[in-house]
Amino acid sequence: MSKPIVAIVGRPNVGKSTLFNVLAGEKISIVEDTPGVTRDRIYADVTWLKYDFTIIDTGGIEPESDDEILKHMRTQAQIAIDTADVILFVVDVKQGLVDDDHKVANMLRKARKPVILVVNKVDNFDKLEMDVFEFYNLGLGEPRPVSSASKLGLGDMLDVVVENFPPNMKDEEDDEIPKIAIIGKPNVGKSSLINKILGEERVIVSNIAGTTRDAVDTLVKYNKKDFVFIDTAGLRRKSKIKETLERYSIIRTVAAIERADVAILIIDAEEGITEQDAKIAGIAHERGKGAIIAVNKWDAIEKNDKTMNRFIENIEDKLTYMLYAPKIFISAHTGQRLNRLFEMIEMVIQNQALRVATGPLNDILYEAMALNQPPSDKGKRLKIYYMTQVSIKPPTFVIFVNDKELMHFSYTRYIENKVRESFGFKGTPIHFIVRERKEK
């Protein structure tokens, strides 16, 4: 099921990032070795009541600017607005209503999305009540007073946010058709791959109307099985002025990955694996999606018997946290190994939904502990009582221990490796939740 997306927009310096950081709270947890997941995160997951959603911070919109950077920011904010299900429009009570707020409001009206008008920096409602009411003039309904810095009014605001989610997202039943996102940098052959798949004799294609998001969905029938392919039209590459803004184009990829079951990361064989590839892979990994790494344009490479192994080593060096992802060498141009790609997709989908019974799981756990004793600290040793699988997509396990602090990242990784040795889980990340249980 895909999470709703909430975009935070507004002029520069109205406190959007402060609001973003408060909502993201401590949620911006960085897996120790996931690259490219930096502090300048522009998206984060938020849970409110029983809803999970993703928030995106869009940088300031300057409606009338000729400055290249600001122009580009406006484009990126527009992507976020098109991608979002709900928009938080932030204004500043201290600066009052300014002309540019009206211009942003007009831009938002065209989007025909639910817009929630958030008046920030209201640290005393009684004193600033009249100043808040002034924002009724924007014609966007009731202004919601908050103070991001003092964390006031956020609950009421979030109540309104979740009320505005599209009805099918509130309790959307997972439809059975697997969704496959084709992700990667620009010009690596994402669209060519999709076109090649669509051009196969064995494929029956129908376009899906009414997909609101910024990606193109195509229903594909291959060997009597249905798949939905999501084409993300790629992340833009940095150029001189776009340094600070490149991150916004990640929004499309995040939205597509969010909706997918499996992400196929396309890497250009001629270029090798780059920093940006690693960044995009990190998003799929972090979001717990199945992953396949497809090296495209393989037909264009001079090869000997060592070329492929060297390429695989290089990928694994850069994506150490993603060793579970199977790799395949393809050519979107010639259609080389397309049938193998579909076999891989099916395998990953099955592994994402694999459930392991508690008995065999704990046999593996106790064997692992016998081979490699749990760590201890200051004379206190970690005790692991048992573990059990609590969910799928991605497979998620709860491990019960005497003291959470003693469960080091490296020991969790060790147990993960043992679980993978026994049950496979190829192509899917697996998550562990460590819970403390007081000794009886």
Side-chain angles (χ1 to χ4, degrees):
M1 166 173 175
S2 69
K3 297 189 185 115
I5 290 183
V6 177
I8 303 177
V9 301
R11 292 182 297 107
N13 308 322
V14 292
K16 292 186 300 298
S17 295
T18 318
L19 177 62
F20 173 83
N21 291 336
V22 171
L23 294 179
E26 301 312 304
K27 281 272 168 49
I28 305 191
S29 61
I30 294 176
V31 182
E32 289 175 35
D33 55 358
T34 309
V37 183
T38 47
R39 280 167 302 288
D40 65 346
R41 281 292 287 279
I42 59 154
Y43 62 89
D45 292 328
V46 177
T47 303
W48 181 251
L49 307 174
K50 58 183 196 310
Y51 300 112
D52 293 322
F53 54 97
T54 299
I55 50 171
I56 294 175
D57 176 16
T58 60
I61 301 176
E62 299 248 359
E64 299 284 297
S65 163
D66 282 334
D67 176 331
E68 274 303 311
I69 285 212
L70 292 169
K71 237 174 38 209
H72 192 74
M73 275 187 137
R74 197 163 60 235
T75 316
Q76 296 301 359
Q78 189 65 54
I79 292 177
I81 292 165
D82 296 342
T83 310
D85 297 292
V86 176
I87 295 161
L88 288 179
F89 174 23
V90 183
V91 291
D92 178 344
V93 76
K94 300 274 194 286
Q95 295 174 24
L97 182 57
V98 302
D99 198 25
D100 274 356
D101 287 327
H102 282 287
K103 289 177 180 155
V104 176
N106 291 336
M107 187 172 161
L108 295 179
R109 257 191 284 277
K110 290 186 193 123
R112 305 191 171 211
K113 300 272 174 92
V115 174
I116 294 155
L117 179 58
V118 179
V119 185
N120 195 15
K121 308 186 189 175
V122 182
D123 31 31
N124 179 330
F125 188 66
D126 296 337
K127 230 167 50 198
L128 295 169
E129 190 171 17
M130 291 322 287
D131 300 338
V132 170
F133 285 162
E134 182 192 4
F135 288 95
Y136 266 111
N137 291 319
L138 286 171
L140 289 172
E142 188 183 338
R144 309 276 164 185
V146 305
S147 163
S148 307
S150 326
K151 301 190 181 174
L152 298 172
L154 299 176
D156 294 345
M157 176 195 79
L158 287 170
D159 286 346
V160 184
V161 170
V162 298
E163 273 164 26
N164 279 284
F165 287 156
N168 61 337
M169 285 210 160
K170 293 188 188 169
D171 44 20
E172 178 185 308
E173 277 307 301
D174 263 350
D175 49 12
E176 291 305 297
I177 304 176
K179 294 192 180 59
I180 317 300
I182 306 283
I183 60 174
K185 297 182 320 219
N187 309 325
V188 290
K190 294 186 299 296
S191 299
S192 320
L193 175 64
I194 291 203
N195 293 338
K196 190 71 187 169
I197 289 171
L198 306 189
E200 281 280 288
E201 287 75 72
R202 285 181 293 173
V203 164
I204 301 162
V205 179
S206 46
N207 279 327
I208 301 170
T211 36
T212 51
R213 296 287 174 79
D214 201 30
V216 185
D217 287 7
T218 316
L219 181 63
V220 167
K221 207 183 208 46
Y222 188 86
N223 283 349
K224 304 199 173 82
K225 290 199 177 69
D226 286 336
F227 302 90
V228 170
F229 277 83
I230 304 168
D231 178 8
T232 55
L235 294 185
R236 301 289 170 278
R237 194 167 314 150
K238 286 190 176 113
S239 74
K240 300 291 169 289
I241 57 157
K242 293 175 185 169
E243 293 277 321
T244 48
L245 306 162
E246 177 259 330
R247 54 199 194 123
Y248 291 112
S249 49
I250 282 189
I251 294 167
R252 287 183 168 146
T253 301
V254 172
I257 289 173
E258 195 57 82
R259 296 169 49 220
D261 301 299
V262 178
I264 300 179
L265 173 66
I266 310 282
I267 291 173
D268 185 326
E270 296 174 293
E271 258 187 81
I273 180 165
T274 65
E275 192 70 18
Q276 205 178 351
D277 294 323
K279 231 182 211 172
I280 297 168
I283 301 171
H285 172 73
E286 241 199 329
R287 288 196 147 26
K289 303 297 181 172
I292 294 170
I293 296 168
V295 181
N296 187 26
K297 308 184 188 172
W298 195 240
D299 54 323
I301 295 289
E302 295 273 325
K303 295 180 270 295
N304 61 27
D305 54 351
K306 302 195 177 55
T307 320
M308 195 179 270
N309 285 341
R310 270 210 300 273
F311 212 102
I312 289 177
E313 275 166 26
N314 197 0
I315 292 176
E316 295 191 338
D317 270 355
K318 285 229 171 66
L319 303 180
T320 45
Y321 55 92
M322 224 180 182
L323 299 178
Y324 56 81
K327 291 148 204 78
I328 183 169
F329 292 80
I330 63 169
S331 162
H333 178 60
T334 64
Q336 181 187 15
R337 300 205 179 87
L338 272 195
N339 49 357
R340 179 79 191 93
L341 182 62
F342 275 95
E343 285 166 22
M344 257 184 197
I345 292 171
E346 286 188 47
M347 170 194 75
V348 173
I349 288 165
Q350 283 171 359
N351 286 340
Q352 275 246 292
L354 188 61
R355 285 186 188 274
V356 177
T358 304
L361 199 56
N362 285 292
D363 292 346
I364 300 302
L365 174 66
Y366 299 138
E367 195 179 310
M369 291 194 295
L371 288 172
N372 178 358
Q373 246 193 335
S376 59
D377 189 33
K378 300 190 186 66
K380 186 172 186 193
R381 185 167 293 286
L382 170 71
K383 279 189 189 154
I384 302 183
Y385 303 118
Y386 68 100
M387 76 171 167
T388 183
Q389 184 173 353
V390 290
S391 63
I392 56 170
K393 282 190 179 183
T396 303
F397 301 88
V398 175
I399 301 181
F400 291 93
V401 302
N402 60 339
D403 184 346
K404 241 157 98 161
E405 296 302 306
L406 293 173
M407 186 78 182
H408 291 231
F409 177 71
S410 56
Y411 202 71
T412 309
R413 173 62 65 83
Y414 165 69
I415 288 175
E416 173 177 343
N417 291 339
K418 289 293 178 204
V419 168
R420 285 187 184 280
E421 276 168 34
S422 304
F423 304 108
F425 287 114
K426 195 157 182 58
T428 177
I430 52 186
H431 289 176
F432 290 93
I433 300 163
V434 181
R435 292 256 163 87
E436 245 169 60
R437 230 187 59 181
K438 290 292 161 261
E439 300 188 49
K440 295 258 189 315

